[in-house]
Amino acid sequence: MIEVERLSFRYPGGALALKEVSVRFAPGKVSAVLGESGSGKTTFLLCIGRFLRFRKGTVRLDGADIRTLPEREFRRRVGIVFQHLYLFPHLTVLENMMLAPVHVLGRPGDEAEAEARKMLDRLDIGDLAQSYPGQVSGGQAQRVAIARALLLRPDYLFLDEPTSALDAKTADDFAAWLKGLKDTTNFVVVTHNLLFAESVATEGVYLSGGRVLDTGPVGRIAGHARAGKLVTRG
Amino acid sequence: MTFGRALAFLLRGFVLTLLVAAASLLLGFLVSIPVGIVLNLPGGVVRLVLRAVVDFIRGTPILIQLLFVYFGWPLIPVVGVSLSPIAASILALTVNSAAYMAEVVRSGLMSVSPGQRLAGRALGLRPWQVFRFVVWPQAFRIAMPPLMNSVVALIKDTALISVITVSELIANVRSVVSVTWNPAYYLVAAVLFFIVTFPLMKLAGRVERRMKERGFAND
């Protein structure tokens, strides 16, 4: 369980980006964090991922304050796939996949390679092993980035705007693919794509102006988001 | 003097030229990595000092630097050291090439997207592992073509060490021409330089092409 309590964050010299955000991500569910651009979604993700140091509020991972967890333990348990994926362009897909298992988990190279190939095959992208990230499509790169994160077997995997580089058809395929993985990892999808959120998630959080406006079933939350869009556009 | 004997004499000088260039390049490259890293850091006294030194070296003629190290430095009280012509040449060329290559390393490191570091950290890599396995390999590939330009420039600059009495290619070709009265030997010396520098220039182009083929892009 990830519990966020009264989390606030202000960028140096800037406005308050998160205001007393409280939310829980229970295991066994795919959750979605919804909100418009500038609503604080990415700041929220960076705080939970320990990339931004917050002073107010707490984030607990199975009861432990994440700020007290050793870096490696935290990174192994909580994975993040960023919006721009950040696959390492100088390494092949297979090498991208093996880097963390070898250098973080200390797995022997041949064992890490076998695991990486098995994961790629399981995710139907085995033929990409020797390709470079610059040689694969946006949808394939998305899968590779998630596969790379999954090899650390995280308890939670946060996906930041996973459909931003995908067309509608690829996003649908990706949603179906992601749902097939939810039994092994708890996903939290941070997105402004309401259709995608509704198709993969069961629970939702609606962020607006750095505040949580509602949490609950994703259908209801998406409804708020749609209403919010209408108000904003009107 | 026969052509064969003259060519052998020129080649002996050229071997020395290349040895001095190779030693300077190796040392200069090793120095340029930490300097380039520091130049990439935000603020700090060390960075400011290194910035000033690098700018000064790049903004002054290498000939002056060479003459200073050989003739000027020994005359400075307390810190002055008298060096052999070859040692003075290697020192001056090392400092000069390090300054240029540090700038290339700095810009290479800057070209690597901050997101790459973030992704490395998200995977649990330690900061030095992020540098070693993620940042440096990309920065080096990006820096490779301009680094090759620095290498070619330094090899050509090595011709200047003849002014501090090193018997390298240029000193030897001047001796040959003064004996034979045949200025065509200057062209022979130029061809010798070109035989070494041309493949290096081609290599830089090949590295660039290979990066493009692999779709190498910093996202």
Side-chain angles (χ1 to χ4, degrees), chain A residues 78-101:
Chain A
V78 178
I80 295 183
V81 176
F82 294 100
Q83 181 177 357
H84 297 294
L85 307 176
Y86 301 124
L87 293 174
F88 305 131
H90 59 296
L91 301 177
T92 62
V93 163
L94 186 66
E95 289 165 343
N96 262 277
M97 304 267 298
M98 289 169 59
L99 192 64

Side-chain angles (χ1 to χ4, degrees), chain B residues 90-111:
Chain B
I90 291 174
L91 179 63
L93 293 172
T94 294
V95 172
N96 185 273
S97 62
Y100 278 93
M101 287 196 278
E103 199 58 34
V104 174
V105 168
R106 183 196 65 79
S107 64
L109 290 171
M110 248 182 86
S111 307

Side-chain angles (χ1 to χ4, degrees), chain A residues 46 50-51 71-72 75 78-80 82 84-91 99-100 103-104 132 134-135 148-149 152, chain B residues 113-116 118-126 129 133-135 137-138 141 213-219:
Chain A
L46 292 173
R50 297 210 320 194
F51 291 107
E71 174 77 3
R72 285 233 157 153
R75 295 287 169 216
V78 178
I80 295 183
F82 294 100
H84 297 294
L85 307 176
Y86 301 124
L87 293 174
F88 305 131
H90 59 296
L91 301 177
L99 192 64
H103 297 290
V104 176
Y132 284 87
Q135 298 170 324
R148 183 176 73 173
L152 290 173
Chain B
S113 150
Q116 292 284 315
L118 218 56
R121 279 186 58 202
L123 288 174
L125 295 172
R126 298 187 195 285
Q129 290 179 315
F133 299 115
V134 177
V135 177
Q138 293 183 55
R141 281 167 174 79
E213 280 164 16
R214 287 179 178 181
F216 193 101
N218 287 290
D219 46 4

